[in-house]
Amino acid sequence: MSAKTIHSLVQSWETVRFELLNRRISDLNLRIPGSPVEPFVQRLYREMEAKGFRFKPGVYLTDSWGCPDKRPVIGIPFYLADERLSRIEEEQTGEIEDGKRIMALLRHEAGHAVNYAYQLWRRPSWEEIFGRFSRPYRDCFRPDYLSRKYVRHISVSPYGRTYAQKHPDEDFAETFAVWLTPRSAWRVRYRNWPAMRKLLYVNSLMKEIRRRSSDNSRVRLLRPVESMTVLLADHYGKEAERYRRAAQGYVDDRLREVFPPVRGLLLRPAAGLFRKLQARLLKRVVLWSELSEPEAAAILHKLEIRSDALKLSYRPGQEGERSMDIISLAVALALDYAYTGRLTG
């Protein structure tokens, strides 16, 4: 055995996946700034600035793509904010958005946001071009795959690129997206299509409104990621336990036994106790398990970072009791590893 082997075990995808599936989505500390999806959001803003817009739609993480009804803000699936969650999404659903599709969806949702921010659907000219905004919205529709009355932008299974036919609001959003897309050559591509009338209308309308400001700072969000308190496993409707056996470096359950939930204003972080006792723990684990110092250190580091990730804590005055508990835990895990090659039972 070696420290490298232990590190591979505790950082293996099987272990990390099981850790994530057993976390509440709201506890994953997801945010757009600094995430993999941020560059795409910034690109959208640059494209809108290039068209002369003062307005920038707000963005937030939620459970799916969309703009809440008549609210000028774009919801982005939470899993796009973390590469590990994107991998789980692809495993669970069989697909994941690539960069091209992310931009297509952002431009589409930006169309909704512009429509709502400026209440364009209220204009008689908008209704004349796209139809009644109040028309019933149906999840299923029968598209005409040969129609040239609509632009073709995002591809949605099983409808292909006919999503604009779903509803007047979607028709506008798709038309806006084609108009916004750099180098889309829409004047050439749709030159002999009836859809050109919609594109020219959007082009004229955007020139009229793009310099106007729009206050969207008080928009009420729908299912923001901070309110998604379900376990990631439950979000997918899967039983996380099916992945437990493969997660041979999983230590979260045993850490929760040592640091059960507590309440109070002056709680101490469990990770801090691991750091404080680092030298003592290392000495005891090496002595009683016969692991090498680097091997023992790798296990202790895993316990520390998981305690921090889980935000485990204890009450002041319990330091002595908790110190004995974590020494016992660390030694037990080390012995498990020494005899079985895994940390989990």
Side-chain angles (χ1 to χ4, degrees):
M1 300 294 183
S2 68
K4 184 177 181 180
T5 303
I6 294 179
H7 181 78
S8 299
L9 180 71
V10 298
Q11 297 301 330
S12 68
W13 172 241
E14 290 75 17
T15 295
V16 171
R17 175 176 58 194
F18 194 63
E19 290 170 352
L20 292 169
L21 287 170
N22 280 281
R23 295 287 303 281
R24 297 182 186 277
I25 297 174
S26 56
D27 291 337
L28 293 174
N29 300 319
L30 300 173
R31 53 200 301 269
I32 291 176
S35 75
V37 79
E38 183 189 23
F40 299 105
V41 174
Q42 294 302 322
R43 180 177 172 184
L44 172 69
Y45 288 162
R46 289 194 300 270
E47 291 178 2
M48 295 187 71
E49 288 173 357
K51 291 288 190 179
F53 278 99
R54 293 182 61 186
F55 168 71
K56 291 182 180 179
V59 293
Y60 75 107
L61 297 174
T62 181
D63 58 355
S64 62
W65 287 100
C67 281
D69 188 32
K70 299 180 184 178
R71 303 172 198 172
V73 62
I74 299 174
I76 299 175
F78 67 87
Y79 55 80
L80 291 176
D82 189 302
E83 292 179 352
R84 302 166 305 170
L85 298 180
S86 292
R87 183 173 176 180
I88 290 176
E89 170 72 14
E90 187 171 18
E91 287 181 348
Q92 298 295 322
T93 67
E95 61 180 359
I96 192 68
E97 296 92 331
D98 59 13
K100 182 178 180 180
R101 181 163 174 77
I102 289 173
M103 285 310 306
L105 289 165
L106 280 173
R107 294 177 187 122
H108 174 92
E109 300 303 341
H112 286 305
V114 167
N115 192 16
Y116 304 155
Y118 297 99
Q119 300 186 20
L120 301 178
W121 81 88
R122 296 183 182 276
R123 297 185 176 215
S125 59
W126 191 99
E127 182 172 320
E128 178 190 354
I129 295 292
F130 295 103
R132 287 187 303 107
F133 182 86
S134 60
R135 198 181 82 186
Y137 195 95
R138 296 182 175 89
D139 289 331
C140 298
F141 66 103
R142 294 183 178 179
D144 178 356
Y145 291 97
L146 300 179
S147 176
R148 294 194 168 192
K149 296 180 181 179
Y150 305 88
V151 299
R152 297 173 182 177
H153 179 61
I154 61 173
S155 177
V156 180
S157 179
Y159 303 111
R161 297 187 182 278
T162 65
Y163 199 63
Q165 300 181 35
K166 186 173 186 178
H167 187 271
D169 193 17
E170 303 297 353
D171 192 5
F172 174 82
E174 285 286 83
T175 305
F176 176 90
V178 169
W179 172 83
L180 179 66
T181 303
R183 298 177 296 280
S184 66
W186 57 267
R187 291 183 184 274
V188 176
R189 180 181 177 186
Y190 294 96
R191 179 174 50 199
N192 298 316
W193 291 36
M196 176 60 77
R197 182 179 179 225
K198 297 175 181 177
L199 285 161
L200 291 174
Y201 174 77
V202 167
N203 186 57
S204 175
L205 187 56
M206 294 308 107
K207 287 180 179 179
E208 175 191 337
I209 68 168
R210 62 189 177 185
R211 297 295 181 185
R212 300 180 188 174
S213 59
S214 176
D215 181 16
N216 66 326
S217 60
R218 298 183 179 179
V219 173
R220 184 168 63 87
L221 305 180
L222 180 65
R223 292 188 299 278
V225 70
E226 295 81 7
S227 71
M228 297 175 64
T229 57
V230 298
L231 295 180
L232 183 62
D234 293 337
H235 169 76
Y236 289 110
K238 304 289 185 180
E239 291 293 336
E241 288 302 307
R242 61 187 288 209
Y243 300 104
R244 178 183 287 273
R245 185 169 182 80
Q248 298 182 8
Y250 185 71
V251 296
D252 290 9
D253 286 348
R254 299 179 77 167
L255 276 169
R256 289 191 181 101
E257 291 174 0
V258 174
F259 297 98
V262 291
R263 294 181 179 179
L265 298 176
L266 301 174
L267 299 179
R268 306 285 176 81
L273 189 56
F274 277 100
R275 287 190 289 270
K276 181 178 180 180
L277 299 175
Q278 183 177 22
R280 182 182 172 191
L281 284 170
L282 186 59
K283 182 178 179 181
R284 295 293 180 90
V285 171
V286 170
L287 176 63
W288 291 340
S289 69
E290 297 186 356
L291 292 181
S292 69
E293 188 169 303
E295 289 172 334
I299 293 176
L300 293 174
H301 180 65
K302 179 67 174 183
L303 292 172
E304 179 186 329
I305 63 174
R306 291 311 299 164
S307 295
D308 190 37
L310 297 172
K311 298 182 174 61
L312 301 179
S313 59
Y314 62 97
R315 291 193 180 96
Q318 293 184 328
E319 183 170 309
E321 180 183 353
R322 292 292 169 260
S323 296
M324 295 302 297
D325 288 340
I326 64 175
I327 289 174
S328 299
L329 172 61
V331 171
L333 289 172
L335 289 171
D336 284 346
Y337 181 75
Y339 286 103
T340 68
R342 57 188 295 164
L343 298 181
T344 54

